[in-house]
PDB file of all heavy atoms in Angstrom:
ATOM      1  N   LYS A   9       0.824  -1.203   0.000  1.00  0.00           N
ATOM      2  CA  LYS A   9       0.000   0.000   0.000  1.00  0.00           C
ATOM      3  C   LYS A   9       0.864   1.261   0.000  1.00  0.00           C
ATOM      4  O   LYS A   9       0.506   2.259  -0.643  1.00  0.00           O
ATOM      5  CB  LYS A   9      -0.935  -0.011   1.205  1.00  0.00           C
ATOM      6  CG  LYS A   9      -1.985  -1.110   1.155  1.00  0.00           C
ATOM      7  CD  LYS A   9      -2.896  -0.978  -0.064  1.00  0.00           C
ATOM      8  CE  LYS A   9      -4.079  -1.913   0.000  1.00  0.00           C
ATOM      9  NZ  LYS A   9      -4.988  -1.760  -1.156  1.00  0.00           N
ATOM     10  N   ALA A  10       1.989   1.235   0.700  1.00  0.00           N
ATOM     11  CA  ALA A  10       2.891   2.387   0.681  1.00  0.00           C
ATOM     12  C   ALA A  10       3.453   2.591  -0.728  1.00  0.00           C
ATOM     13  O   ALA A  10       3.586   3.723  -1.203  1.00  0.00           O
ATOM     14  CB  ALA A  10       4.019   2.197   1.694  1.00  0.00           C
ATOM     15  N   ALA A  11       3.786   1.485  -1.390  1.00  0.00           N
ATOM     16  CA  ALA A  11       4.278   1.591  -2.770  1.00  0.00           C
ATOM     17  C   ALA A  11       3.204   2.159  -3.681  1.00  0.00           C
ATOM     18  O   ALA A  11       3.489   2.999  -4.549  1.00  0.00           O
ATOM     19  CB  ALA A  11       4.722   0.210  -3.261  1.00  0.00           C
ATOM     20  N   LEU A  12       1.961   1.712  -3.503  1.00  0.00           N
ATOM     21  CA  LEU A  12       0.866   2.237  -4.310  1.00  0.00           C
ATOM     22  C   LEU A  12       0.684   3.730  -4.069  1.00  0.00           C
ATOM     23  O   LEU A  12       0.519   4.509  -5.025  1.00  0.00           O
ATOM     24  CB  LEU A  12      -0.420   1.485  -3.979  1.00  0.00           C
ATOM     25  CG  LEU A  12      -1.684   1.958  -4.698  1.00  0.00           C
ATOM     26  CD1 LEU A  12      -1.555   1.774  -6.204  1.00  0.00           C
ATOM     27  CD2 LEU A  12      -2.913   1.219  -4.168  1.00  0.00           C
ATOM     28  N   SER A  13       0.717   4.142  -2.812  1.00  0.00           N
ATOM     29  CA  SER A  13       0.553   5.563  -2.501  1.00  0.00           C
ATOM     30  C   SER A  13       1.669   6.390  -3.122  1.00  0.00           C
ATOM     31  O   SER A  13       1.418   7.455  -3.707  1.00  0.00           O
ATOM     32  CB  SER A  13       0.518   5.771  -0.980  1.00  0.00           C
ATOM     33  OG  SER A  13      -0.647   5.210  -0.425  1.00  0.00           O
ATOM     34  N   HIS A  14       2.897   5.910  -3.005  1.00  0.00           N
ATOM     35  CA  HIS A  14       4.021   6.657  -3.578  1.00  0.00           C
ATOM     36  C   HIS A  14       3.871   6.751  -5.094  1.00  0.00           C
ATOM     37  O   HIS A  14       4.071   7.823  -5.682  1.00  0.00           O
ATOM     38  CB  HIS A  14       5.341   5.969  -3.220  1.00  0.00           C
ATOM     39  CG  HIS A  14       6.552   6.751  -3.626  1.00  0.00           C
ATOM     40  ND1 HIS A  14       7.308   7.481  -2.747  1.00  0.00           N
ATOM     41  CD2 HIS A  14       7.122   6.941  -4.846  1.00  0.00           C
ATOM     42  CE1 HIS A  14       8.298   8.072  -3.390  1.00  0.00           C
ATOM     43  NE2 HIS A  14       8.200   7.760  -4.669  1.00  0.00           N
ATOM     44  N   PHE A  15       3.515   5.645  -5.726  1.00  0.00           N
ATOM     45  CA  PHE A  15       3.356   5.645  -7.185  1.00  0.00           C
ATOM     46  C   PHE A  15       2.291   6.646  -7.615  1.00  0.00           C
ATOM     47  O   PHE A  15       2.495   7.433  -8.539  1.00  0.00           O
ATOM     48  CB  PHE A  15       2.997   4.236  -7.662  1.00  0.00           C
ATOM     49  CG  PHE A  15       3.029   4.095  -9.154  1.00  0.00           C
ATOM     50  CD1 PHE A  15       4.145   3.590  -9.789  1.00  0.00           C
ATOM     51  CD2 PHE A  15       1.947   4.477  -9.937  1.00  0.00           C
ATOM     52  CE1 PHE A  15       4.194   3.475 -11.170  1.00  0.00           C
ATOM     53  CE2 PHE A  15       1.978   4.370 -11.313  1.00  0.00           C
ATOM     54  CZ  PHE A  15       3.108   3.871 -11.935  1.00  0.00           C
ATOM     55  N   LEU A  16       1.152   6.612  -6.950  1.00  0.00           N
ATOM     56  CA  LEU A  16       0.056   7.506  -7.338  1.00  0.00           C
ATOM     57  C   LEU A  16       0.387   8.966  -7.055  1.00  0.00           C
ATOM     58  O   LEU A  16      -0.014   9.856  -7.817  1.00  0.00           O
ATOM     59  CB  LEU A  16      -1.223   7.105  -6.619  1.00  0.00           C
ATOM     60  CG  LEU A  16      -2.178   6.138  -7.342  1.00  0.00           C
ATOM     61  CD1 LEU A  16      -2.839   6.798  -8.526  1.00  0.00           C
ATOM     62  CD2 LEU A  16      -1.473   4.857  -7.756  1.00  0.00           C
ATOM     63  N   GLU A  17       1.123   9.230  -5.979  1.00  0.00           N
ATOM     64  CA  GLU A  17       1.509  10.620  -5.705  1.00  0.00           C
ATOM     65  C   GLU A  17       2.457  11.129  -6.781  1.00  0.00           C
ATOM     66  O   GLU A  17       2.370  12.287  -7.206  1.00  0.00           O
ATOM     67  CB  GLU A  17       2.124  10.726  -4.315  1.00  0.00           C
ATOM     68  CG  GLU A  17       1.101  10.577  -3.194  1.00  0.00           C
ATOM     69  CD  GLU A  17       1.632  11.016  -1.845  1.00  0.00           C
ATOM     70  OE1 GLU A  17       2.694  11.670  -1.811  1.00  0.00           O
ATOM     71  OE2 GLU A  17       0.984  10.705  -0.836  1.00  0.00           O
ATOM     72  N   SER A  18       3.376  10.285  -7.224  1.00  0.00           N
ATOM     73  CA  SER A  18       4.261  10.686  -8.319  1.00  0.00           C
ATOM     74  C   SER A  18       3.475  10.860  -9.616  1.00  0.00           C
ATOM     75  O   SER A  18       3.672  11.826 -10.359  1.00  0.00           O
ATOM     76  CB  SER A  18       5.357   9.631  -8.513  1.00  0.00           C
ATOM     77  OG  SER A  18       6.239   9.598  -7.417  1.00  0.00           O
ATOM     78  N   LEU A  19       2.564   9.930  -9.878  1.00  0.00           N
ATOM     79  CA  LEU A  19       1.755  10.014 -11.082  1.00  0.00           C
ATOM     80  C   LEU A  19       0.909  11.282 -11.092  1.00  0.00           C
ATOM     81  O   LEU A  19       0.708  11.897 -12.147  1.00  0.00           O
ATOM     82  CB  LEU A  19       0.859   8.779 -11.183  1.00  0.00           C
ATOM     83  CG  LEU A  19       0.081   8.581 -12.482  1.00  0.00           C
ATOM     84  CD1 LEU A  19       1.030   8.363 -13.654  1.00  0.00           C
ATOM     85  CD2 LEU A  19      -0.885   7.407 -12.346  1.00  0.00           C
ATOM     86  N   ARG A  20       0.432  11.670  -9.924  1.00  0.00           N
ATOM     87  CA  ARG A  20      -0.357  12.905  -9.811  1.00  0.00           C
ATOM     88  C   ARG A  20       0.430  14.097 -10.345  1.00  0.00           C
ATOM     89  O   ARG A  20      -0.113  14.951 -11.046  1.00  0.00           O
ATOM     90  CB  ARG A  20      -0.727  13.129  -8.348  1.00  0.00           C
ATOM     91  CG  ARG A  20      -1.463  14.419  -8.059  1.00  0.00           C
ATOM     92  CD  ARG A  20      -1.577  14.618  -6.561  1.00  0.00           C
ATOM     93  NE  ARG A  20      -2.444  13.617  -5.945  1.00  0.00           N
ATOM     94  CZ  ARG A  20      -2.353  13.227  -4.681  1.00  0.00           C
ATOM     95  NH1 ARG A  20      -1.402  13.713  -3.894  1.00  0.00           N
ATOM     96  NH2 ARG A  20      -3.203  12.338  -4.200  1.00  0.00           N
ATOM     97  N   LEU A  21       1.714  14.153 -10.042  1.00  0.00           N
ATOM     98  CA  LEU A  21       2.543  15.265 -10.505  1.00  0.00           C
ATOM     99  C   LEU A  21       2.671  15.254 -12.028  1.00  0.00           C
ATOM    100  O   LEU A  21       2.635  16.301 -12.673  1.00  0.00           O
ATOM    101  CB  LEU A  21       3.927  15.179  -9.864  1.00  0.00           C
ATOM    102  CG  LEU A  21       3.964  15.176  -8.328  1.00  0.00           C
ATOM    103  CD1 LEU A  21       5.396  15.016  -7.845  1.00  0.00           C
ATOM    104  CD2 LEU A  21       3.342  16.448  -7.768  1.00  0.00           C
ATOM    105  N   ASP A  22       2.842  14.065 -12.597  1.00  0.00           N
ATOM    106  CA  ASP A  22       3.045  13.972 -14.033  1.00  0.00           C
ATOM    107  C   ASP A  22       1.762  14.157 -14.830  1.00  0.00           C
ATOM    108  O   ASP A  22       1.807  14.535 -16.004  1.00  0.00           O
ATOM    109  CB  ASP A  22       3.681  12.621 -14.374  1.00  0.00           C
ATOM    110  CG  ASP A  22       5.136  12.545 -13.936  1.00  0.00           C
ATOM    111  OD1 ASP A  22       5.833  13.570 -14.039  1.00  0.00           O
ATOM    112  OD2 ASP A  22       5.570  11.477 -13.481  1.00  0.00           O
ATOM    113  N   LEU A  23       0.610  13.877 -14.214  1.00  0.00           N
ATOM    114  CA  LEU A  23      -0.661  14.029 -14.919  1.00  0.00           C
ATOM    115  C   LEU A  23      -1.293  15.407 -14.738  1.00  0.00           C
ATOM    116  O   LEU A  23      -2.244  15.744 -15.443  1.00  0.00           O
ATOM    117  CB  LEU A  23      -1.657  12.958 -14.447  1.00  0.00           C
ATOM    118  CG  LEU A  23      -1.370  11.527 -14.866  1.00  0.00           C
ATOM    119  CD1 LEU A  23      -2.414  10.583 -14.280  1.00  0.00           C
ATOM    120  CD2 LEU A  23      -1.318  11.381 -16.385  1.00  0.00           C
ATOM    121  N   ALA A  24      -0.762  16.186 -13.798  1.00  0.00           N
ATOM    122  CA  ALA A  24      -1.384  17.481 -13.498  1.00  0.00           C
ATOM    123  C   ALA A  24      -1.457  18.366 -14.735  1.00  0.00           C
ATOM    124  O   ALA A  24      -2.461  19.048 -14.970  1.00  0.00           O
ATOM    125  CB  ALA A  24      -0.620  18.184 -12.381  1.00  0.00           C
ATOM    126  N   GLY A  25      -0.415  18.330 -15.545  1.00  0.00           N
ATOM    127  CA  GLY A  25      -0.400  19.165 -16.735  1.00  0.00           C
ATOM    128  C   GLY A  25      -1.406  18.734 -17.783  1.00  0.00           C
ATOM    129  O   GLY A  25      -1.749  19.517 -18.675  1.00  0.00           O
ATOM    130  N   GLU A  26      -1.892  17.500 -17.680  1.00  0.00           N
ATOM    131  CA  GLU A  26      -2.893  17.012 -18.631  1.00  0.00           C
ATOM    132  C   GLU A  26      -4.321  17.261 -18.158  1.00  0.00           C
ATOM    133  O   GLU A  26      -5.276  16.972 -18.884  1.00  0.00           O
ATOM    134  CB  GLU A  26      -2.717  15.505 -18.867  1.00  0.00           C
ATOM    135  CG  GLU A  26      -1.399  15.119 -19.510  1.00  0.00           C
ATOM    136  CD  GLU A  26      -1.381  13.652 -19.897  1.00  0.00           C
ATOM    137  OE1 GLU A  26      -2.382  13.180 -20.472  1.00  0.00           O
ATOM    138  OE2 GLU A  26      -0.375  12.978 -19.621  1.00  0.00           O
ATOM    139  N   GLY A  27      -4.471  17.742 -16.929  1.00  0.00           N
ATOM    140  CA  GLY A  27      -5.814  17.982 -16.416  1.00  0.00           C
ATOM    141  C   GLY A  27      -6.503  16.727 -15.917  1.00  0.00           C
ATOM    142  O   GLY A  27      -7.734  16.673 -15.867  1.00  0.00           O
ATOM    143  N   ILE A  28      -5.724  15.712 -15.550  1.00  0.00           N
ATOM    144  CA  ILE A  28      -6.268  14.486 -14.960  1.00  0.00           C
ATOM    145  C   ILE A  28      -5.913  14.472 -13.483  1.00  0.00           C
ATOM    146  O   ILE A  28      -4.733  14.516 -13.123  1.00  0.00           O
ATOM    147  CB  ILE A  28      -5.714  13.236 -15.657  1.00  0.00           C
ATOM    148  CG1 ILE A  28      -6.106  13.228 -17.136  1.00  0.00           C
ATOM    149  CG2 ILE A  28      -6.205  11.963 -14.966  1.00  0.00           C
ATOM    150  CD1 ILE A  28      -5.470  12.114 -17.943  1.00  0.00           C
ATOM    151  N   ASP A  29      -6.910  14.443 -12.632  1.00  0.00           N
ATOM    152  CA  ASP A  29      -6.680  14.466 -11.192  1.00  0.00           C
ATOM    153  C   ASP A  29      -6.464  13.062 -10.648  1.00  0.00           C
ATOM    154  O   ASP A  29      -6.935  12.069 -11.226  1.00  0.00           O
ATOM    155  CB  ASP A  29      -7.861  15.117 -10.473  1.00  0.00           C
ATOM    156  CG  ASP A  29      -7.992  16.602 -10.786  1.00  0.00           C
ATOM    157  OD1 ASP A  29      -6.973  17.220 -11.166  1.00  0.00           O
ATOM    158  OD2 ASP A  29      -9.110  17.135 -10.673  1.00  0.00           O
ATOM    159  N   VAL A  30      -5.763  12.980  -9.532  1.00  0.00           N
ATOM    160  CA  VAL A  30      -5.471  11.705  -8.879  1.00  0.00           C
ATOM    161  C   VAL A  30      -5.819  11.810  -7.404  1.00  0.00           C
ATOM    162  O   VAL A  30      -5.374  12.740  -6.720  1.00  0.00           O
ATOM    163  CB  VAL A  30      -3.986  11.315  -9.048  1.00  0.00           C
ATOM    164  CG1 VAL A  30      -3.677  10.035  -8.270  1.00  0.00           C
ATOM    165  CG2 VAL A  30      -3.626  11.144 -10.519  1.00  0.00           C
ATOM    166  N   SER A  31      -6.632  10.874  -6.922  1.00  0.00           N
ATOM    167  CA  SER A  31      -6.993  10.823  -5.505  1.00  0.00           C
ATOM    168  C   SER A  31      -6.523   9.503  -4.911  1.00  0.00           C
ATOM    169  O   SER A  31      -6.636   8.444  -5.542  1.00  0.00           O
ATOM    170  CB  SER A  31      -8.513  10.924  -5.315  1.00  0.00           C
ATOM    171  OG  SER A  31      -8.989  12.215  -5.611  1.00  0.00           O
ATOM    172  N   LEU A  32      -6.015   9.579  -3.692  1.00  0.00           N
ATOM    173  CA  LEU A  32      -5.644   8.381  -2.943  1.00  0.00           C
ATOM    174  C   LEU A  32      -6.613   8.199  -1.793  1.00  0.00           C
ATOM    175  O   LEU A  32      -6.949   9.157  -1.086  1.00  0.00           O
ATOM    176  CB  LEU A  32      -4.217   8.503  -2.416  1.00  0.00           C
ATOM    177  CG  LEU A  32      -3.142   7.963  -3.362  1.00  0.00           C
ATOM    178  CD1 LEU A  32      -1.779   8.497  -2.980  1.00  0.00           C
ATOM    179  CD2 LEU A  32      -3.142   6.432  -3.346  1.00  0.00           C
ATOM    180  N   ILE A  33      -7.063   6.969  -1.605  1.00  0.00           N
ATOM    181  CA  ILE A  33      -8.003   6.634  -0.538  1.00  0.00           C
ATOM    182  C   ILE A  33      -7.239   5.851   0.523  1.00  0.00           C
ATOM    183  O   ILE A  33      -6.675   4.787   0.231  1.00  0.00           O
ATOM    184  CB  ILE A  33      -9.176   5.808  -1.090  1.00  0.00           C
ATOM    185  CG1 ILE A  33      -9.878   6.575  -2.216  1.00  0.00           C
ATOM    186  CG2 ILE A  33     -10.154   5.450   0.021  1.00  0.00           C
ATOM    187  CD1 ILE A  33     -10.785   5.706  -3.070  1.00  0.00           C
ATOM    188  N   HIS A  34      -7.194   6.377   1.738  1.00  0.00           N
ATOM    189  CA  HIS A  34      -6.464   5.738   2.840  1.00  0.00           C
ATOM    190  C   HIS A  34      -7.431   5.404   3.972  1.00  0.00           C
ATOM    191  O   HIS A  34      -7.536   6.160   4.942  1.00  0.00           O
ATOM    192  CB  HIS A  34      -5.357   6.663   3.358  1.00  0.00           C
ATOM    193  CG  HIS A  34      -4.220   6.880   2.417  1.00  0.00           C
ATOM    194  ND1 HIS A  34      -4.064   8.034   1.672  1.00  0.00           N
ATOM    195  CD2 HIS A  34      -3.175   6.083   2.080  1.00  0.00           C
ATOM    196  CE1 HIS A  34      -2.972   7.938   0.939  1.00  0.00           C
ATOM    197  NE2 HIS A  34      -2.412   6.768   1.162  1.00  0.00           N
ATOM    198  N   PRO A  35      -8.147   4.281   3.885  1.00  0.00           N
ATOM    199  CA  PRO A  35      -9.056   3.932   4.981  1.00  0.00           C
ATOM    200  C   PRO A  35      -8.298   3.439   6.201  1.00  0.00           C
ATOM    201  O   PRO A  35      -7.226   2.822   6.090  1.00  0.00           O
ATOM    202  CB  PRO A  35      -9.897   2.788   4.388  1.00  0.00           C
ATOM    203  CG  PRO A  35      -9.514   2.699   2.939  1.00  0.00           C
ATOM    204  CD  PRO A  35      -8.172   3.299   2.802  1.00  0.00           C
ATOM    205  N   GLY A  36      -8.890   3.698   7.363  1.00  0.00           N
ATOM    206  CA  GLY A  36      -8.473   2.977   8.555  1.00  0.00           C
ATOM    207  C   GLY A  36      -9.152   1.619   8.544  1.00  0.00           C
ATOM    208  O   GLY A  36      -9.403   1.042   7.485  1.00  0.00           O
ATOM    209  N   PHE A  37      -9.475   1.098   9.717  1.00  0.00           N
ATOM    210  CA  PHE A  37     -10.138  -0.201   9.768  1.00  0.00           C
ATOM    211  C   PHE A  37     -11.602  -0.063   9.355  1.00  0.00           C
ATOM    212  O   PHE A  37     -12.327   0.781   9.873  1.00  0.00           O
ATOM    213  CB  PHE A  37     -10.042  -0.785  11.173  1.00  0.00           C
ATOM    214  CG  PHE A  37      -8.653  -1.179  11.573  1.00  0.00           C
ATOM    215  CD1 PHE A  37      -7.991  -0.516  12.600  1.00  0.00           C
ATOM    216  CD2 PHE A  37      -7.993  -2.207  10.916  1.00  0.00           C
ATOM    217  CE1 PHE A  37      -6.705  -0.869  12.968  1.00  0.00           C
ATOM    218  CE2 PHE A  37      -6.696  -2.571  11.267  1.00  0.00           C
ATOM    219  CZ  PHE A  37      -6.054  -1.906  12.295  1.00  0.00           C
ATOM    220  N   VAL A  38     -11.999  -0.895   8.405  1.00  0.00           N
ATOM    221  CA  VAL A  38     -13.379  -0.940   7.923  1.00  0.00           C
ATOM    222  C   VAL A  38     -13.867  -2.376   8.086  1.00  0.00           C
ATOM    223  O   VAL A  38     -13.130  -3.332   7.788  1.00  0.00           O
ATOM    224  CB  VAL A  38     -13.477  -0.504   6.452  1.00  0.00           C
ATOM    225  CG1 VAL A  38     -14.927  -0.556   5.964  1.00  0.00           C
ATOM    226  CG2 VAL A  38     -12.910   0.909   6.275  1.00  0.00           C
ATOM    227  N   LYS A  39     -15.100  -2.541   8.549  1.00  0.00           N
ATOM    228  CA  LYS A  39     -15.633  -3.887   8.753  1.00  0.00           C
ATOM    229  C   LYS A  39     -15.958  -4.520   7.410  1.00  0.00           C
ATOM    230  O   LYS A  39     -16.962  -4.203   6.774  1.00  0.00           O
ATOM    231  CB  LYS A  39     -16.876  -3.854   9.648  1.00  0.00           C
ATOM    232  CG  LYS A  39     -17.428  -5.242   9.944  1.00  0.00           C
ATOM    233  CD  LYS A  39     -18.528  -5.230  10.970  1.00  0.00           C
ATOM    234  CE  LYS A  39     -19.141  -6.625  11.123  1.00  0.00           C
ATOM    235  NZ  LYS A  39     -18.156  -7.687  11.290  1.00  0.00           N
ATOM    236  N   THR A  40     -15.105  -5.415   6.962  1.00  0.00           N
ATOM    237  CA  THR A  40     -15.255  -6.118   5.692  1.00  0.00           C
ATOM    238  C   THR A  40     -14.907  -7.585   5.916  1.00  0.00           C
ATOM    239  O   THR A  40     -14.366  -7.956   6.971  1.00  0.00           O
ATOM    240  CB  THR A  40     -14.305  -5.540   4.633  1.00  0.00           C
ATOM    241  OG1 THR A  40     -12.951  -5.875   4.999  1.00  0.00           O
ATOM    242  CG2 THR A  40     -14.442  -4.032   4.503  1.00  0.00           C
ATOM    243  N   PRO A  41     -15.175  -8.450   4.927  1.00  0.00           N
ATOM    244  CA  PRO A  41     -14.744  -9.849   5.068  1.00  0.00           C
ATOM    245  C   PRO A  41     -13.246  -9.991   5.316  1.00  0.00           C
ATOM    246  O   PRO A  41     -12.818 -10.926   5.994  1.00  0.00           O
ATOM    247  CB  PRO A  41     -15.158 -10.467   3.724  1.00  0.00           C
ATOM    248  CG  PRO A  41     -16.353  -9.671   3.310  1.00  0.00           C
ATOM    249  CD  PRO A  41     -16.056  -8.263   3.753  1.00  0.00           C
ATOM    250  N   LEU A  42     -12.426  -9.080   4.773  1.00  0.00           N
ATOM    251  CA  LEU A  42     -10.988  -9.148   5.025  1.00  0.00           C
ATOM    252  C   LEU A  42     -10.654  -8.843   6.478  1.00  0.00           C
ATOM    253  O   LEU A  42      -9.907  -9.577   7.123  1.00  0.00           O
ATOM    254  CB  LEU A  42     -10.242  -8.172   4.102  1.00  0.00           C
ATOM    255  CG  LEU A  42      -9.855  -8.671   2.713  1.00  0.00           C
ATOM    256  CD1 LEU A  42      -9.135  -7.564   1.950  1.00  0.00           C
ATOM    257  CD2 LEU A  42      -8.962  -9.905   2.789  1.00  0.00           C
ATOM    258  N   THR A  43     -11.186  -7.752   7.011  1.00  0.00           N
ATOM    259  CA  THR A  43     -10.849  -7.399   8.391  1.00  0.00           C
ATOM    260  C   THR A  43     -11.519  -8.326   9.394  1.00  0.00           C
ATOM    261  O   THR A  43     -11.042  -8.444  10.527  1.00  0.00           O
ATOM    262  CB  THR A  43     -11.218  -5.940   8.715  1.00  0.00           C
ATOM    263  OG1 THR A  43     -12.629  -5.756   8.544  1.00  0.00           O
ATOM    264  CG2 THR A  43     -10.476  -4.966   7.813  1.00  0.00           C
ATOM    265  N   ASP A  44     -12.593  -9.008   8.995  1.00  0.00           N
ATOM    266  CA  ASP A  44     -13.210  -9.975   9.900  1.00  0.00           C
ATOM    267  C   ASP A  44     -12.257 -11.118  10.231  1.00  0.00           C
ATOM    268  O   ASP A  44     -12.437 -11.809  11.239  1.00  0.00           O
ATOM    269  CB  ASP A  44     -14.497 -10.543   9.291  1.00  0.00           C
ATOM    270  CG  ASP A  44     -15.659  -9.560   9.362  1.00  0.00           C
ATOM    271  OD1 ASP A  44     -15.573  -8.587  10.141  1.00  0.00           O
ATOM    272  OD2 ASP A  44     -16.649  -9.758   8.629  1.00  0.00           O
ATOM    273  N   ARG A  45     -11.231 -11.313   9.401  1.00  0.00           N
ATOM    274  CA  ARG A  45     -10.250 -12.380   9.651  1.00  0.00           C
ATOM    275  C   ARG A  45      -9.140 -11.934  10.591  1.00  0.00           C
ATOM    276  O   ARG A  45      -8.341 -12.764  11.038  1.00  0.00           O
ATOM    277  CB  ARG A  45      -9.621 -12.834   8.334  1.00  0.00           C
ATOM    278  CG  ARG A  45     -10.625 -13.305   7.295  1.00  0.00           C
ATOM    279  CD  ARG A  45      -9.953 -14.117   6.189  1.00  0.00           C
ATOM    280  NE  ARG A  45      -8.715 -13.527   5.705  1.00  0.00           N
ATOM    281  CZ  ARG A  45      -8.506 -13.190   4.425  1.00  0.00           C
ATOM    282  NH1 ARG A  45      -9.472 -13.331   3.538  1.00  0.00           N
ATOM    283  NH2 ARG A  45      -7.347 -12.709   4.053  1.00  0.00           N
ATOM    284  N   ASN A  46      -9.062 -10.640  10.891  1.00  0.00           N
ATOM    285  CA  ASN A  46      -7.978 -10.145  11.731  1.00  0.00           C
ATOM    286  C   ASN A  46      -8.087 -10.687  13.153  1.00  0.00           C
ATOM    287  O   ASN A  46      -9.183 -10.845  13.686  1.00  0.00           O
ATOM    288  CB  ASN A  46      -7.972  -8.613  11.764  1.00  0.00           C
ATOM    289  CG  ASN A  46      -7.515  -8.019  10.443  1.00  0.00           C
ATOM    290  OD1 ASN A  46      -6.979  -8.714   9.589  1.00  0.00           O
ATOM    291  ND2 ASN A  46      -7.726  -6.724  10.278  1.00  0.00           N
ATOM    292  N   ASP A  47      -6.938 -10.949  13.761  1.00  0.00           N
ATOM    293  CA  ASP A  47      -6.897 -11.508  15.107  1.00  0.00           C
ATOM    294  C   ASP A  47      -6.296 -10.530  16.112  1.00  0.00           C
ATOM    295  O   ASP A  47      -5.637 -10.911  17.064  1.00  0.00           O
ATOM    296  CB  ASP A  47      -6.105 -12.815  15.114  1.00  0.00           C
ATOM    297  CG  ASP A  47      -4.663 -12.634  14.617  1.00  0.00           C
ATOM    298  OD1 ASP A  47      -4.304 -11.504  14.199  1.00  0.00           O
ATOM    299  OD2 ASP A  47      -3.897 -13.617  14.652  1.00  0.00           O
ATOM    300  N   PHE A  48      -6.538  -9.233  15.877  1.00  0.00           N
ATOM    301  CA  PHE A  48      -6.005  -8.205  16.772  1.00  0.00           C
ATOM    302  C   PHE A  48      -7.030  -7.084  16.885  1.00  0.00           C
ATOM    303  O   PHE A  48      -7.936  -6.976  16.057  1.00  0.00           O
ATOM    304  CB  PHE A  48      -4.669  -7.666  16.248  1.00  0.00           C
ATOM    305  CG  PHE A  48      -4.709  -7.219  14.808  1.00  0.00           C
ATOM    306  CD1 PHE A  48      -5.171  -5.946  14.465  1.00  0.00           C
ATOM    307  CD2 PHE A  48      -4.298  -8.065  13.797  1.00  0.00           C
ATOM    308  CE1 PHE A  48      -5.219  -5.529  13.149  1.00  0.00           C
ATOM    309  CE2 PHE A  48      -4.344  -7.658  12.461  1.00  0.00           C
ATOM    310  CZ  PHE A  48      -4.798  -6.392  12.143  1.00  0.00           C
ATOM    311  N   PRO A  49      -6.911  -6.234  17.905  1.00  0.00           N
ATOM    312  CA  PRO A  49      -7.872  -5.135  18.063  1.00  0.00           C
ATOM    313  C   PRO A  49      -7.804  -4.182  16.872  1.00  0.00           C
ATOM    314  O   PRO A  49      -6.734  -3.918  16.317  1.00  0.00           O
ATOM    315  CB  PRO A  49      -7.407  -4.446  19.347  1.00  0.00           C
ATOM    316  CG  PRO A  49      -6.599  -5.462  20.075  1.00  0.00           C
ATOM    317  CD  PRO A  49      -5.948  -6.297  19.025  1.00  0.00           C
ATOM    318  N   MET A  50      -8.968  -3.652  16.479  1.00  0.00           N
ATOM    319  CA  MET A  50      -9.057  -2.717  15.347  1.00  0.00           C
ATOM    320  C   MET A  50      -9.753  -1.449  15.820  1.00  0.00           C
ATOM    321  O   MET A  50     -10.980  -1.320  15.712  1.00  0.00           O
ATOM    322  CB  MET A  50      -9.812  -3.363  14.181  1.00  0.00           C
ATOM    323  CG  MET A  50      -9.039  -4.486  13.524  1.00  0.00           C
ATOM    324  SD  MET A  50     -10.016  -5.401  12.291  1.00  0.00           S
ATOM    325  CE  MET A  50     -10.909  -6.506  13.404  1.00  0.00           C
ATOM    326  N   PRO A  51      -8.984  -0.518  16.375  1.00  0.00           N
ATOM    327  CA  PRO A  51      -9.604   0.689  16.955  1.00  0.00           C
ATOM    328  C   PRO A  51     -10.325   1.525  15.915  1.00  0.00           C
ATOM    329  O   PRO A  51      -9.869   1.657  14.772  1.00  0.00           O
ATOM    330  CB  PRO A  51      -8.417   1.445  17.554  1.00  0.00           C
ATOM    331  CG  PRO A  51      -7.214   0.922  16.842  1.00  0.00           C
ATOM    332  CD  PRO A  51      -7.518  -0.509  16.511  1.00  0.00           C
TER     333      PRO A  51
END
C-alpha cells in the first residue's frame, strides 16, 4: 500500500499538466470480510 501511494503521488505530478486528477483513498479499519479475519484489536 505504501508503494501504491508513492506511485500515485508521483503520477499525480506527471498528470497534473494534462488535467487528470489523482486521488488516494487511505481507509483505517473498515468492517469487511478481510478485516473480519484479523486476530487483533481494530480501533
Side-chain angles (χ1 to χ4, degrees):
K9 293 299 190 178
L12 177 63
S13 292
H14 187 103
F15 189 97
L16 267 290
E17 288 194 13
S18 292
L19 189 64
R20 176 189 293 154
L21 302 177
D22 288 323
L23 290 178
E26 296 188 45
I28 299 173
D29 293 336
V30 176
S31 289
L32 270 162
I33 303 164
H34 291 103
F37 292 114
V38 180
K39 183 172 174 49
T40 69
L42 274 180
T43 60
D44 284 343
R45 303 197 316 238
N46 289 347
D47 59 356
F48 52 83
M50 291 172 278

